[in-house]
Amino acid sequence: MNPRKRMVAGRRTKVIPLSLDATFFFERAVQSLDRYHYDKALKYFRRAVEYEPDNPVNHCNMAGILSEMGRYEESNDILNSVLERIDPGMTECHYYLANNYANMELFEAAEASLVTYLENDPDGQFLDEADELLDLLVYELKRPTKLSTIKAKESLYEHDKARELLEAGRFSEAVRLLEDILVQKPDFLAARNNLGLAYYYMGLFDKSVQTIGEVLKAEPGNLHALCNLAIFYQHVNRREDLASLLGLLKKTIPIHPEHVFKLGTTMGIVGEHREAYVHFTRLLRKGELSAEPSLHHFAAVASANIGRFDEAERHWLQARRLDASPAVADFYLGKLAKVRQGEASPPTQYHYHMPFDEQFREWEKHPERISETLKKDPLVRSSFFWALRHGDRRTKMQVIQALGLVADEEVIEALKAFLVDAEEEDDLKRVAVLVLRSIGVEDALAVVFDGRPLMLDARRRSARLPVWDSDWQGVLEQAMERMAGRYDVVQQHDMMTLWVDYLSRVYPDVPKLRNAAGWAAALEYWTAKMHRRSITYAELMDVYGASQGSISRYAGRIDEACGIREKLKLTNRAFQDRI
């Protein structure tokens, strides 16, 4: 054999064969979209369809590209083919048809497709958009549209109310309403999807994943559910599950702006910034949602993470111009300047507010702003509830105290649920009990301390304190630390209740608490007396390192405000009478 031919043959054995399949052509199509080469993208999508002719997603992607290119008739041919041959249950295709017909000014055909969509789609993903299109058709046809029913509007009023509760950050109320809706209509997938979100916002991860799984079992291609699940997996670091799910999401090219926004945001949150950049740029290029400062923020974050710093700056400047309160945009512009200088990594915060730790630093300077922010911003509220469940110890301590400034039913329920979670630290639960008492919760509290369920009775009624001061907390922590192991849970709870009672009675004339150890010792002194335990000032001096004069003086002040000595006399007298 010729040596030259042997060398060539040897080279051939090292050639890696190119795998031409639907995934290969899909990826080429996406790359072409990234470069705005629609003709090439269309060609590659056609090849993907050739390799997977029974996959409706490939067909819908191709229809979506044709629609964006203004080739509405070809788009309609594909959508009709999906409905007739591949998946008659894809009712959203009727909505896409209606949009295409409206763009072609074939208003009668648009009306027919829209009516079919409304009368057959159970989930109502495009109900708001369908209402707008219906108004246009009524105007163009100069007559009302006849609708026998709107399938998705069964239970829709309650569902709309639940969505409003979610947007307002009233998650537990939304959960109750959504659960009631699903008892009546278990196949209402949009309600089940929102229930999964509500669980997630409350930090109930396992329930949220289970609920979203139920949606996907009924409809494997539900984009909202897939995106929600991807974010859930990201938060708990389930990398293999996330990777598998992302493989599917990367193949999805949504048609409707709401879906583009949802998918783009999801891709950004899970760290797929280049994918997110493509989706956000697509929205801005078409003018969709371009007046929303949050969209420019999302585009800026994606741009910064793929090295397009000039674009990131332009987007944050636009967000600043559009937002009446430019603090968020200013923060990220400052962050970008540090990124350019190599002093910081690009921000990955796709929610349009400052990072959690940064907000706390700001609130420490201006504590009066916490309550207003928590009441007005559901995203911040959800981040607090999530941190209460999944943050580190320091963050949980901050969150518990901050939630006390809001003191609505949502907060009270969250703190009560925290008390019975066997996985949470007992010290944090004691602070939660204190906060609940300080905001006026007077009923018995169920709590799990040291793995044992207990009921803590409200022994005293306390006036509500407006803001919990760090000096008050310092006294409480010293007393809790010294009493731990020597007093049981109920006795420690009574100490906390006594401290809140004293502060409530003397507020706003609370004395300066320079000697925290002395005040803590005074609290232990009266707690021991209330439980008929022998205690001396000398013992307290050894435990707390405070002088006898200080302990005696502070014990006197507490007694003067709360009348403990007189109450103990009455209790002893009643005890003697019973004997």
Side-chain angles (χ1 to χ4, degrees), residues 431-446 455-465 493 496-497 500 504:
V431 178
V433 169
L434 179 65
V435 169
L436 285 167
R437 294 304 186 212
S438 73
I439 63 180
V441 177
E442 298 167 352
D443 53 342
L445 293 173
M455 290 298 296
L456 299 179
D457 294 328
R459 308 269 174 156
R460 295 179 176 81
R461 303 174 76 85
S462 302
R464 176 171 169 169
L465 297 168
H493 170 256
M496 291 190 291
T497 307
V500 174
S504 301

Side-chain angles (χ1 to χ4, degrees), residues 38-46 62 65-66 71:
Y38 289 113
D39 290 334
K40 284 188 177 181
L42 180 59
K43 180 182 71 173
Y44 289 128
F45 275 132
R46 287 191 191 280
M62 190 162 61
I65 292 295
L66 288 167
R71 295 164 63 175

Side-chain angles (χ1 to χ4, degrees), residues 225-291:
L226 291 169
C227 288
N228 292 338
L229 192 58
I231 293 171
F232 299 169
Y233 285 155
Q234 170 78 3
H235 271 283
V236 295
N237 203 29
R238 286 169 57 168
R239 294 184 181 275
E240 290 185 7
D241 292 328
L242 178 60
S244 175
L245 187 52
L246 287 178
L248 175 61
L249 290 176
K250 287 179 179 179
K251 296 180 181 180
T252 303
I253 306 293
I255 297 174
H256 193 269
E258 179 189 348
H259 284 184
V260 179
F261 183 82
K262 178 73 174 181
L263 184 56
T265 306
T266 300
M267 287 299 184
I269 290 172
V270 302
E272 297 289 338
H273 303 294
R274 188 167 297 279
E275 299 281 344
Y277 173 83
V278 171
H279 292 302
F280 293 136
T281 303
R282 180 179 165 199
L283 281 175
L284 289 168
R285 189 175 64 251
K286 294 181 66 176
E288 305 285 356
L289 307 176
S290 59

Side-chain angles (χ1 to χ4, degrees), residues 57-219:
V57 173
N58 290 334
H59 291 267
C60 287
N61 284 338
M62 190 162 61
I65 292 295
L66 288 167
S67 182
E68 287 204 19
M69 297 171 69
R71 295 164 63 175
Y72 303 115
E73 290 184 3
E74 295 173 72
S75 176
N76 286 348
D77 288 342
I78 294 171
L79 293 169
N80 281 316
S81 176
V82 170
L83 291 168
E84 294 168 4
R85 187 177 59 83
I86 300 174
D87 187 356
M90 288 192 71
T91 50
E92 60 266 37
C93 289
H94 293 291
Y95 174 74
Y96 302 147
L97 284 165
N99 271 284
N100 283 345
Y101 285 132
N103 282 314
M104 297 165 69
E105 299 187 0
L106 299 175
F107 300 117
E108 296 277 359
E111 181 186 49
S113 292
L114 190 61
V115 167
T116 302
Y117 168 73
L118 290 171
E119 292 183 349
N120 291 277
D121 183 75
D123 301 324
Q125 294 180 15
F126 303 114
L127 273 183
D128 292 340
E129 297 78 7
D131 282 341
E132 293 180 9
L133 183 54
L134 204 58
D135 289 340
L136 171 66
L137 296 177
V138 168
Y139 174 78
E140 293 291 348
L141 296 172
K142 298 180 173 57
R143 59 170 173 75
T145 296
K146 291 182 180 180
L147 272 171
S148 60
T149 182
I150 298 179
K151 188 175 181 63
K153 284 198 174 181
E154 300 167 8
S155 304
L156 192 62
Y157 172 77
E158 292 83 0
H159 184 235
D160 283 345
K161 184 177 179 182
R163 288 175 60 184
E164 290 174 4
L165 291 170
L166 274 178
E167 291 169 1
R170 295 159 63 183
F171 306 120
S172 61
E173 293 178 63
V175 163
R176 286 194 293 270
L177 185 52
L178 289 165
E179 288 175 341
D180 288 343
I181 291 171
L182 290 169
V183 168
Q184 301 298 322
K185 192 178 180 185
D187 61 344
F188 195 169
L189 296 186
R192 198 171 295 277
N193 225 338
N194 281 322
L195 178 61
L197 273 179
Y199 286 143
Y200 172 75
Y201 289 146
M202 295 172 70
L204 304 174
F205 177 77
D206 290 338
K207 293 185 76 172
S208 66
V209 170
Q210 177 186 343
T211 305
I212 295 300
E214 292 165 357
V215 175
L216 292 172
K217 184 178 180 181
E219 187 182 297

Side-chain angles (χ1 to χ4, degrees), residues 392-527:
D392 57 27
R393 188 181 189 282
R394 176 178 174 274
T395 300
K396 288 181 179 182
M397 180 73 77
Q398 291 175 314
V399 167
I400 290 169
Q401 296 179 56
L403 289 176
L405 299 172
V406 181
D408 58 20
E409 286 301 317
E410 189 84 25
V411 165
I412 291 170
E413 287 191 24
L415 291 177
K416 285 183 175 180
F418 185 83
L419 293 179
V420 296
D421 189 337
E423 300 297 320
E424 298 295 349
E425 294 182 27
D426 288 352
D427 286 349
L428 291 174
K429 291 177 184 176
R430 292 186 180 98
V431 178
V433 169
L434 179 65
V435 169
L436 285 167
R437 294 304 186 212
S438 73
I439 63 180
V441 177
E442 298 167 352
D443 53 342
L445 293 173
V447 60
V448 175
F449 278 128
D450 195 24
R452 295 183 296 117
L454 298 170
M455 290 298 296
L456 299 179
D457 294 328
R459 308 269 174 156
R460 295 179 176 81
R461 303 174 76 85
S462 302
R464 176 171 169 169
L465 297 168
V467 177
W468 187 252
D469 189 274
S470 59
D471 289 341
W472 307 347
Q473 180 68 22
V475 171
L476 178 67
E477 288 180 353
Q478 285 219 33
M480 283 172 27
E481 180 182 348
R482 304 295 199 282
M483 292 172 69
R486 298 187 297 116
Y487 291 77
D488 64 28
V489 169
V490 173
Q491 291 165 343
Q492 291 181 60
H493 170 256
D494 285 348
M495 179 275 295
M496 291 190 291
T497 307
L498 173 60
W499 185 226
V500 174
D501 189 28
Y502 169 72
L503 293 171
S504 301
R505 290 174 183 273
V506 300
Y507 187 85
D509 299 320
V510 178
K512 298 292 184 182
L513 303 176
R514 297 187 180 90
N515 187 353
W519 282 98
L523 286 173
E524 180 178 335
Y525 174 83
W526 285 121
T527 302

